[in-house]
Amino acid sequence: MAEHISSHFNQELENVRSEVMRMGGLVEARLQQVLAALDEGSSSGLTEVIDGDADINKLEVEIDDACQTIIARRQPAAGDLRFVLAVSRVIVDLERIGDEVKKIALKAHELLGNNRVAAPELYNTHRMGTVTLGMIHRALDAFARLDTGAVIELSETDKHLDADYRAQLRSLITFMMEDPRSISATIDIMFMNKSIERIGDHAENIAEHVVYLTRGIDVRHRPLEQIKADLSE
C-alpha cells in the first residue's frame, strides 16, 4: 500500500489488512480442527468449531465497520479505494467459508458422535477438505503479497476439486442404491462434500479480489483463458 501524508491513515489501512489476515487465520484453524476430527474419527473439538463461528462473524462486522469509517473520514481514491472495496469483498468470502466449516462440523459431530460412520468412510471428504485448506492458505498468501498469479493456480485447482466432488457424488449415490440402510448417513456426507466444494469457490473468489486490488480488473465470472489474457497485458 502507498504511503500517505497522514500516518494515521497508513495505520488504519495496515490495521485493516492485519485484521483480515487474523480472520483468515482463524478460518484456517477451524477447518484444520474439523479435518483432524475426520481423520481421527472423533467428534472431539467440533463443538469448539461450531461455537467459534461467532468469532469469525464478529470479525467480519468489525472489519466492515472499519472500512466504512475509512471511506467516510478519508474519502480514499484510486488504489486506496480499491483496497477498501477488496477487503469488503474478501471478508464476505471468509465469513462464508466459516459458515461452510460450521456446517461440516455440525454434520461430522452428528455422524461421529453417534457412531453413524467410521473414519475410513470419511476418507474422501477429509482428502477434499485438505485440498481446500491449501487453497485458503494460498489465497490469503496472495492477499498478503498482492500476488495476482494465485488466481490462475486456484482456478485450476478448483476445477479439479469440482470434478472430484462430482465423482464422489456419483459414488455415494451408487453406494446408497446398493445399501439403503446407509442412505441417511450418506446424505449427510454429501452435504459435507458440498460445503467443501463451496469453500474452494470462496478461496478462488479471494484470489479474484486480489486481482481487482492490484490491477483494477474485475475477473469474476470470466473463463480461465480470459483471465490469463487479462493478466498478461
Side-chain angles (χ1 to χ4, degrees):
M1 293 179 290
E3 291 295 318
H4 305 88
I5 295 175
S6 171
S7 61
H8 291 294
F9 189 14
N10 286 331
Q11 191 59 53
E12 288 169 5
L13 294 175
E14 179 58 29
N15 288 345
V16 165
R17 189 195 71 82
S18 296
E19 287 299 279
V20 171
M21 295 305 297
R22 185 161 77 93
M23 183 179 179
L26 190 56
V27 168
E28 273 191 279
R30 296 299 187 221
L31 181 54
Q32 285 176 329
Q33 285 179 271
V34 171
L35 293 176
L38 298 184
D39 186 45
E40 297 166 3
S42 169
S43 60
S44 175
L46 291 175
T47 300
E48 180 182 352
V49 174
I50 295 166
D51 294 340
D53 184 57
D55 296 331
I56 296 171
N57 295 340
K58 181 181 177 183
L59 269 174
E60 183 201 13
V61 172
E62 290 174 351
I63 296 170
D64 189 54
D65 285 346
C67 287
Q68 292 184 49
T69 299
I70 288 173
I71 291 175
R73 291 181 178 175
R74 305 295 183 180
Q75 298 181 354
D80 295 329
L81 180 58
R82 287 206 308 271
F83 172 77
V84 175
L85 293 176
V87 164
S88 296
R89 296 173 181 177
V90 167
I91 60 175
V92 169
D93 278 298
L94 287 175
E95 189 275 332
R96 289 177 180 171
I97 290 174
D99 288 344
E100 298 299 341
V101 171
K102 180 180 179 179
K103 290 178 186 177
I104 298 169
L106 285 167
K107 293 295 184 184
H109 189 272
E110 168 64 19
L111 289 171
L112 296 171
N114 293 305
N115 297 314
R116 293 173 59 203
V117 297
E121 296 174 76
L122 298 173
Y123 170 78
N124 287 308
T125 302
H126 178 274
R127 179 177 54 77
M128 289 190 293
T130 302
V131 172
T132 60
L133 180 63
M135 292 178 73
I136 296 170
H137 186 80
R138 182 69 178 94
L140 291 171
D141 181 66
F143 176 79
R145 298 192 297 111
L146 303 181
D147 178 8
T148 57
V151 70
I152 296 173
E153 179 184 332
L154 288 176
S155 180
E156 292 174 340
T157 302
D158 190 54
K159 286 185 182 297
H160 290 301
L161 180 66
D162 290 346
D164 196 358
Y165 165 73
R166 290 191 295 271
Q168 293 306 316
L169 183 61
R170 291 191 294 269
S171 177
L172 290 169
I173 289 173
T174 300
F175 182 62
M176 285 192 298
M177 293 173 64
E178 294 174 348
D179 183 7
R181 294 171 301 175
S182 70
I183 289 176
S184 177
T186 303
I187 288 175
D188 283 346
I189 294 173
M190 286 179 174
F191 279 121
M192 292 166 70
N193 290 352
K194 181 59 181 178
S195 287
I196 288 171
E197 187 270 335
R198 290 295 298 138
I199 290 173
D201 291 340
H202 290 302
E204 182 183 4
N205 289 348
I206 293 172
E208 291 174 348
H209 302 328
V210 173
V211 174
Y212 171 74
L213 167 59
T214 57
R215 299 284 297 275
I217 305 171
D218 191 343
V219 297
R220 291 176 296 176
H221 313 303
R222 295 189 185 185
L224 181 57
E225 292 306 315
Q226 181 61 53
I227 294 175
K228 290 180 179 178
D230 290 338
L231 294 181
S232 66
E233 295 178 356

